[in-house]
Amino acid sequence: KIRLCIKEFNKWDIASHYEYIDAEQTIASVEYQYAGKYDRLVNHGSKIILIDFKTSSGIFAEHKIQVGGAYRQALAEWRDIKIDGIDLVRFGKDGSFEHLLITKKSELDDHLGQFIRNLQTAKYRETYEARKYPVRVKADPKVDGTQTEGSDKPENGTSSV
């Protein structure tokens, strides 16, 4: 199975006509405060393509968000490189091989937008999960059960709001 996967990769590598720029470079976004390491950067004609290799059961939205959003943004900030497309290359544990090339700017921009929303959600959680609210339990005559002060939910799980 692995030999078939390698054979398919080699066919893809030759057929893609990519010209190697570099690989395995650490990049960062100062604006959004994250860093990562991309797999490969190539030229394809006049376009710069960012390649990411995956060993998963499929190509998922998270991969598009990571590469088309986060890595693309970090390359623009860190190295002043405009990425024209991404190619997600998957090596399946079952010997399968596939790739997904995305060059449509609006789709790449959608992945960046989703990445930024994901970052905002993560920061929101960090902020609010770290807060310690004073908790005092008292009887709430309007709700069957008790009300926890500093919370909008009674202890029995029904909302009083």
Side-chain angles (χ1 to χ4, degrees):
K1 291 180 183 181
I2 298 299
R3 286 188 180 133
L4 177 60
C5 185
I6 292 169
K7 181 179 177 182
E8 292 300 312
F9 168 76
N10 287 335
K11 286 193 321 193
W12 165 82
D13 198 30
I14 291 166
S16 67
H17 301 289
Y18 287 149
E19 296 172 23
Y20 178 86
I21 297 173
D22 66 19
E24 295 292 325
Q25 299 295 311
T26 300
I27 50 176
S29 168
V30 174
E31 181 178 354
Y32 295 106
Q33 298 294 299
Y34 66 89
K37 186 182 283 192
Y38 63 85
D39 291 337
R40 188 183 287 184
L41 194 60
V42 297
N43 278 318
H44 188 254
S46 62
K47 298 189 180 299
I48 298 177
I49 307 293
L50 181 58
I51 299 174
D52 202 60
F53 299 112
K54 299 294 182 189
T55 55
S56 59
S57 61
I59 295 173
F60 302 106
E62 292 81 8
H63 301 147
K64 297 172 190 175
I65 293 166
Q66 174 194 24
V67 181
Y71 289 177
R72 189 168 147 255
Q73 173 67 28
L75 270 160
E77 283 185 49
W78 199 251
R79 296 186 53 194
D80 197 28
I81 295 176
K82 178 186 166 283
I83 299 299
D84 300 300
I86 63 171
D87 203 345
L88 301 171
V89 179
R90 185 184 75 85
F91 301 91
K93 293 177 175 97
D94 61 357
S96 60
F97 173 83
E98 67 177 322
H99 80 101
L100 175 64
L101 176 65
I102 301 170
T103 57
K104 190 174 179 184
K105 185 179 181 320
S106 63
E107 188 172 349
L108 294 169
D109 290 344
D110 286 346
H111 300 318
L112 175 59
Q114 186 60 50
F115 176 72
I116 293 167
R117 287 188 293 278
N118 290 356
L119 270 180
Q120 291 168 336
T121 299
K123 288 179 182 176
Y124 174 87
R125 282 187 170 159
E126 284 176 14
T127 300
Y128 288 96
E129 288 175 358
R131 287 189 180 172
K132 301 292 182 205
Y133 294 98
V135 176
R136 289 173 282 186
V137 178
K138 65 179 182 177
D140 186 347
K142 295 182 273 181
V143 178
D144 181 30
T146 59
Q147 177 71 31
T148 304
E149 198 171 297
S151 167
D152 64 351
K153 291 187 179 178
E155 287 186 345
N156 68 1
T158 60
S159 178
S160 63
V161 176

